[in-house]
Amino acid sequence: GAVVSQHPSWVICKSGTSVKIECRSLDFQATTMFWYRQFPKQSLMLMATSNEGSKATYEQGVEKDKFLINHASLTLSTLTVTSAHPEDSSFYICSARKGTSGLEAQYFGPGTRLLVL
Amino acid sequence: AQSVTQLGSHVSVSEGALVLLRCNYSSSVPPYLFWYVQYPNQGLQLLLKYTSAATLVKGINGFEAEFKKSETSFHLTKPSAHMSDAAEYFCAVNGMTGNQFYFGTGTSLTVIP
């Protein structure tokens, strides 16, 4: 199998606080993990690509100082939303890829719903 | 550059009827193509993938897709819809040397009893 977990599954926080979301590949090692954001009734938008042991690559328009990504090990990547504001409320989904080839599918976590009050 | 277009943001079929969800791709390199399904408030689950082997790809839950280079299409089909198939379906493309998935805008499938 290829199971990816996310924690927490949902979180409510006050404006101005920081929230950390964890993404873990449970039964495989993932050199590359991806973070997506999904608004209601819309497709997934890639935010950043997280590579183990190196800095994340952010998509254009994504604030790297606001969305901090750390890929500390081959099975764990974290996304920290710093000084969250209501407009950051969204569904955040991570994915992990088993290998480095584009041949490999991405395996997605169940998502984390963030609500900033 | 790679991209996919999903025609029809909403598709409704009767239970037992054929399901056809359309996806056309654009890619400057031989594409790898994927179909994912998303149930409400959940992540994406891989249905099937095309990686330049057989052009007809069989996936889970009775779904299959056929890669047609001449039509730049990768439509998803299922002979007989089940109520449990109601979900959002996303087509995605990943270039051979690319690191990204480019998703379509999704097609919401409704199954009418």
Side-chain angles (χ1 to χ4, degrees):
Chain A
V3 181
V4 176
S5 70
Q6 278 184 245
H7 178 80
S9 56
W10 61 271
V11 58
I12 302 173
C13 68
K14 293 182 179 180
S15 185
T17 61
S18 294
V19 175
K20 179 185 284 188
I21 303 170
E22 292 186 350
C23 177
R24 294 181 184 272
S25 56
L26 298 184
D27 52 0
F28 66 100
Q29 293 185 329
T31 55
T32 305
M33 291 184 171
F34 304 86
W35 286 97
Y36 294 85
R37 186 173 179 176
Q38 186 181 31
F39 291 102
K41 306 293 184 182
Q42 295 187 26
S43 188
L44 281 72
M45 292 180 57
L46 180 65
M47 297 175 66
T49 301
S50 172
N51 297 297
E52 188 267 337
S54 63
K55 291 184 178 180
T57 302
Y58 290 82
E59 294 301 298
Q60 192 172 10
V62 177
E63 298 177 61
K64 57 184 66 176
D65 294 332
K66 181 167 189 61
F67 298 100
L68 300 179
I69 292 173
N70 184 286
H71 196 150
S73 75
L74 289 172
T75 60
L76 173 64
S77 176
T78 61
L79 168 68
T80 301
V81 183
T82 62
S83 186
H85 288 91
E87 58 265 29
D88 299 324
S89 299
S90 190
F91 193 48
Y92 292 88
I93 306 176
C94 74
S95 72
R97 195 170 63 188
K98 283 184 176 181
T100 57
S101 167
L103 191 73
E104 293 288 341
Q106 291 184 22
Y107 297 92
F108 287 81
T112 296
R113 189 163 299 282
L114 170 63
L115 177 60
V116 184
L117 303 177
Chain B
Q2 291 82 30
S3 67
V4 290
T5 302
Q6 291 183 242
L7 295 176
S9 58
H10 293 89
V11 171
S12 293
V13 299
S14 298
E15 189 175 15
L18 171 72
V19 175
L20 170 61
L21 305 181
R22 299 177 186 275
C23 173
N24 288 87
Y25 71 89
S26 173
S27 178
S28 56
V29 297
Y32 297 155
L33 294 157
F34 306 81
W35 274 101
Y36 286 88
V37 60
Q38 184 181 33
Y39 297 100
N41 299 311
Q42 295 187 28
L44 275 67
Q45 180 181 6
L46 178 66
L47 276 177
L48 49 80
K49 65 178 181 180
Y50 166 76
T51 55
S52 75
T55 56
L56 182 62
V57 182
K58 294 187 183 299
I60 62 172
N61 301 340
F63 284 94
E64 63 182 36
E66 186 172 8
F67 174 75
K68 292 186 177 180
K69 185 177 179 180
S70 61
E71 299 177 8
T72 61
S73 69
F74 190 58
H75 302 330
L76 182 70
T77 60
K78 182 175 181 177
S80 177
H82 192 273
M83 295 298 294
S84 60
D85 295 327
E88 190 83 16
Y89 291 81
F90 292 96
C91 180
V93 64
N94 185 14
M96 184 181 292
T97 58
N99 201 32
Q100 295 181 358
F101 270 29
Y102 296 93
F103 284 90
T105 50
T107 298
S108 178
L109 176 65
T110 299
V111 182
I112 303 168

